[in-house]
Amino acid sequence: MSTQVKEQSAFSGRDVREQSASEIVATGICKTYGAGPFAKDVVRDCSFTIESNKLTVMIGPSGCGKSTLIQLIAGFETPDQGTITMDGRPITGPGMDRLVLFQESALFPWMTTYDNIMYGPRARGEDTKESAELAEFLLNKVGLEAFRDKYPQQLSGGMQRRAELARAMINKPEVMILDEPFRGLDNMSKELMWEYYAGLYEEDRNTNFFVTTDIDEAIFLADRLLIMTNLPTSTRAVIEIDIPRPRRIEDVVNSSRANEIKKEVMTLLHEEAMKSFSGGSKAAADFLDAYSKRAG
Amino acid sequence: MSNTLDSTAGPQGAEVTTMTLTMHRVSSWLKSPRPYLMLIGFAAVLGFWFLSVEIWKLPRFVDMPGPTEVFSEWFSKDPYYGLSIYTPEYYKHIGISLRRIGFAFLLATGLGVPLGLFLGWSKSFREYIFPLFEVLRPIPVLAWVPLAIIMFAGSETPVIFLTFLASFFATTLNTMLGVESIDESYSRAARCLGANRWQTFRHVVVPGAMPYIFTGLQISIGVAWFSLVAGEMVSGQYGLGYLINTAYMMIEYPKIIIGMITLGIVGYSTSALVRLLGDYLMQWRVRELALGDN
């Protein structure tokens, strides 16, 4: 048993923990949807850096255009102005070096867990013994070996997210991009997934970019926290989260440093949320005015 | 590579599970009230038919053959009108209708599914074809009858053409809707994972549209029977539609009912066959639904 564990970690050392150092830099990007009177500014003059070998979390009011930023970084869309570069090269389209885990589970319902995980290697014509071994290893790692021949609908929400992580990891992407991956999970599974995902990250420390609306999630996971403004989106603040790793939920809950950061983040987000709430309506603005007076 | 990916659609050593699943379904069906309600439904209609024709002798039902007459004719070794389950002619009618349906249905599926897939997949292709399609589609099959007879030689081709038409429209349209229904996140995931456009088409678009395609095929097989009977009534020799029509002209009324009931049974069987094929090709859905049952 112990030898097997050793073998596995040796294997992971060779294949999964390959360190890469990739940095994504967005400079002055703008994105508008629609034209003429229907034009809607979604991103305006937005700059930020996803530093290499760090877990960068982006948080902002819901509907603030974070998903648009992901589409831009992933290369599914191009910015109207500004540039996004990865290691100095501009991003021109989707690429294997940046893998995105989308909000909704995008496991193929018509493939078993194993076939889903093997999809990337097979699509690239790398249906080799090494890929198969790595798939087995990852199945084990995400605890789904008993579910290898099940279809996604037969898995729980948490299992689906883990299968999707495995499907991404098998391709050894230089940057992993996660768009609210744990949204819709119940609180218990969510916290388990935080610890699980943080553990995965702490193992290889590759560049990760994680988008969320959940403050606790953001603080628990992040090395760097980007706080975004309301529409049109730009970067409001950057906070370095210096809570030591490995992190555990209890430690972070009890940490006074974490609570300080939480207050700071909440204040910033609250302001942005209020802007979004009033949305130009006089009545809403009056309400917020009265509300802040009472609170102040 | 393609083998391994394509095999995901079929059952891999799943015969046992599919079998047990079927057994489980049959036994739970027998335990539920559904089969008995079904029997009551049949009995009610048969009873009404029997009472209205043979007991009450309702005025408009005078020429209508009663169930006793129909069933004794149908199962007679020496039928009065020359048609029963013991006469080869009966099976010739069924066989010829089935052959026409099979031919037209395969043609409609073979042309309609690829066309629908491309219509859903390529926007510019849709711009060319779809408006034309939308104008042709609402024309009822019966309106095509004269043109079909003028266009095609003999009596067989027009019938097959008419049967094909409605099926083709139903299949194409549903396949197209199927492609449009696919969540974009699947194509994005495939592209992210390194699939090219053609691979995305084969591994995402085709299986993703499959549920709609089979809904389309269910509709298609139904309208195929409808058009077939219409076609057989005006053109062609043999076949169930022809049987019903000639029985009417020759005043052999029990044969009309025999033809109708036979149409119902054979038509239902073909639909069931299409559904079984769909279940076989979409294992993932069967499992999903089975899970929901428990």
Side-chain angles (χ1 to χ4, degrees), chain A residues 22 69 79 128 167 189 194 198 212 214:
Chain A
S22 298
L69 285 173
T128 56
R167 183 172 75 169
S189 333
W194 293 351
T212 184
D214 182 328

Side-chain angles (χ1 to χ4, degrees), chain A residues 39-57:
Chain A
K40 188 179 178 192
D41 266 351
V42 179
V43 180
R44 187 187 292 157
D45 195 19
C46 179
S47 303
F48 56 89
T49 304
I50 300 169
E51 289 180 3
S52 67
N53 309 107
K54 283 201 177 156
L55 206 173
T56 305
V57 174

Side-chain angles (χ1 to χ4, degrees), chain A residues 14 33 43 50 68 90 129 166 174 232 256 268 280 287:
Chain A
R14 200 174 67 237
Y33 285 103
V43 180
I50 300 169
T68 304
K129 223 180 112 206
E174 284 171 47
S256 55
L268 288 167
F287 165 76

Side-chain angles (χ1 to χ4, degrees), chain A residues 110-127:
Chain A
W110 44 87
M111 289 185 194
T112 59
T113 310
Y114 180 78
D115 288 326
N116 260 296
I117 294 175
M118 280 294 281
Y119 188 82
R122 279 175 181 168
R124 295 189 302 276
E126 292 165 16
D127 193 359

Side-chain angles (χ1 to χ4, degrees), chain A residues 55-275:
Chain A
L55 206 173
T56 305
V57 174
M58 176 181 275
I59 190 168
S62 60
C64 85
K66 298 186 296 297
S67 292
T68 304
L69 285 173
I70 287 196
Q71 304 289 357
L72 294 171
I73 296 170
F76 290 119
E77 303 197 22
T78 45
D80 300 333
Q81 279 176 47
T83 54
I84 306 178
T85 59
M86 177 159 167
D87 300 331
R89 285 168 282 113
I91 288 170
T92 49
M96 286 299 307
D97 46 0
R98 288 154 282 131
L99 257 172
V100 186
L101 250 78
F102 290 104
Q103 244 168 50
E104 331 75 49
S105 166
L107 289 171
F108 303 127
W110 44 87
M111 289 185 194
T112 59
T113 310
Y114 180 78
D115 288 326
N116 260 296
I117 294 175
M118 280 294 281
Y119 188 82
R122 279 175 181 168
R124 295 189 302 276
E126 292 165 16
D127 193 359
T128 56
K129 223 180 112 206
E130 287 80 55
S131 309
E133 276 172 24
L134 186 53
E136 294 296 342
F137 169 75
L138 286 169
L139 264 174
N140 249 296
K141 196 179 174 77
V142 296
L144 291 176
E145 60 274 47
F147 295 88
R148 56 171 288 150
D149 295 323
K150 299 278 186 218
Y151 291 97
Q153 294 297 323
Q154 295 171 290
L155 308 180
S156 71
M159 289 178 184
Q160 288 183 16
R161 302 321 310 210
R162 277 181 283 153
E164 220 166 339
L165 278 170
R167 183 172 75 169
M169 287 193 292
I170 198 170
N171 304 292
K172 301 171 208 152
E174 284 171 47
V175 180
M176 282 259 269
I177 302 165
L178 302 98
D179 185 6
E180 295 191 46
F182 308 140
R183 183 158 98 170
L185 294 182
D186 59 273
N187 279 345
M188 269 305 287
S189 333
K190 212 173 183 177
E191 286 179 7
L192 285 173
M193 284 304 293
W194 293 351
E195 284 196 321
Y196 183 78
Y197 168 71
L200 285 179
Y201 165 71
E202 279 153 13
E203 238 173 73
D204 60 33
R205 303 261 177 159
N206 273 339
T207 313
N208 272 243
F209 181 54
F210 191 109
V211 169
T212 184
T213 51
D214 182 328
I215 298 179
D216 293 318
E217 181 169 271
I219 293 172
F220 179 75
L221 295 175
D223 290 325
R224 292 179 77 234
L225 187 58
L226 307 177
I227 297 167
M228 309 312 282
T229 64
N230 192 26
L231 278 180
T233 304
S234 59
T235 316
R236 169 79 197 254
V238 181
I239 299 179
E240 302 280 339
I241 311 253
D242 45 7
I243 303 167
R245 290 184 185 275
R247 295 180 190 163
R248 287 170 58 238
I249 300 267
E250 307 93 273
D251 298 349
V252 175
V253 168
N254 295 327
S255 140
S256 55
R257 178 71 188 123
N259 284 317
E260 272 169 40
I261 298 170
K262 188 171 175 177
K263 266 182 217 150
E264 196 182 338
V265 176
M266 278 176 88
T267 319
L268 288 167
L269 279 176
H270 194 72
E271 284 172 30
E272 293 305 324
M274 294 229 280
K275 281 186 213 161

